[in-house]
Amino acid sequence: MNDAVDHVDLLMTRWSEIHPTAETATSYPALLRAVRAGQLVEAAFQGVARANGLTVRGDYDVLAALRRALPKSLRPSELARVSMVTNSGMTGRLDRLESEGLIRRAPHPEDRRALLIEITLQGVEAVDRIFADLAEVSGRLLDSELASSLERPLRRLMLELGDDGN
C-alpha cells in the first residue's frame, strides 16, 4: 500500500516539476488529501441518496435535521442552519421534499407570517433507511482502526478552520 500513488501524488509531482524550488513537503498535500477524500466520500453518499430516491444528498441533510428535531418542527431558517444547506437552496429543496410527501409545511401557531416544516411518517421511514445505508457505506469506506486514528486530527483541523458547530 505504501507504494501506491494517489491523485495528490500526481498533482504534487507535477507541481514540483513546474516549481522545482518550491517546498512541496508542507501541509498542502495533506489538505489536498482532505479535500479529495471529502469529494470521494461525498460521491459515495450522493449515490446512497440517489439509490433511495432523493435528488441530492442535501435533501437527506434536511430530512435528518427534521428527524433529529422531533417532536419539534423547524422554521426554514432554523432548518437551513442545522442541516448544512444554504438559505438560498432551502426553498427548492423544501418544494421537492414536500412534493415527494416527505415533509409538510404548516402555519406557525404564534406567527401568521411564518411556517414550520414537519417531517412526515414517510419522511421518517426514508431518513432512517438512508441513515442505515450511510452507516453501512461508511463502514466499507473506512475501517474502525482508520476511523479512530482520523477522528482527532480531523476534529482539530475543523476547529482550526473555524467550525464552531453551527
Side-chain angles (χ1 to χ4, degrees):
M1 186 74 166
N2 290 342
D3 293 335
V5 174
D6 68 12
H7 183 75
V8 174
D9 291 325
L10 299 175
L11 292 176
M12 295 312 296
T13 297
R14 184 64 183 126
W15 277 119
S16 67
E17 293 166 357
I18 296 168
H19 296 286
T21 59
E23 177 59 47
T24 58
T26 64
S27 57
Y28 188 54
L31 290 175
L32 286 178
R33 281 192 172 85
V35 168
R36 181 71 174 154
Q39 292 168 339
L40 295 170
V41 169
E42 181 62 31
F45 283 7
Q46 180 71 21
V48 170
R50 285 205 171 119
N52 281 280
L54 297 181
T55 305
V56 294
R57 193 189 64 81
D59 290 353
Y60 167 78
D61 291 336
V62 170
L63 292 173
L66 289 167
R67 177 72 167 108
R68 289 189 308 268
L70 280 176
K72 279 182 45 182
S73 301
L74 298 175
R75 290 178 182 242
S77 59
E78 294 172 305
L79 191 52
R81 184 180 54 77
V82 299
S83 67
M84 301 187 295
V85 175
T86 64
N87 280 332
S88 61
M90 187 56 66
T91 300
R93 199 154 274 158
L94 293 178
D95 289 344
R96 188 169 48 249
L97 292 170
E98 188 174 41
S99 73
E100 297 291 325
L102 302 173
I103 63 143
R104 72 178 142 262
R105 291 173 167 108
H108 193 290
E110 297 153 12
D111 183 352
R112 292 185 329 158
R113 298 167 296 155
L115 290 174
L116 292 174
I117 309 302
E118 303 172 343
I119 191 168
T120 63
L121 179 57
Q122 183 180 346
V124 168
E125 291 168 353
V127 77
D128 288 351
R129 183 178 61 250
I130 295 168
F131 180 82
D133 289 352
L134 289 172
E136 190 271 325
V137 166
S138 297
R140 275 193 282 123
L141 294 175
L142 197 62
D143 66 49
S144 60
E145 182 182 340
L146 184 54
S148 293
S149 68
L150 288 173
E151 183 69 25
R152 185 179 213 152
L154 288 173
R155 178 180 287 117
R156 180 177 168 202
L157 175 62
M158 290 172 60
L159 293 171
E160 289 285 330
L161 294 173
D163 187 330
D164 62 0
N166 289 316

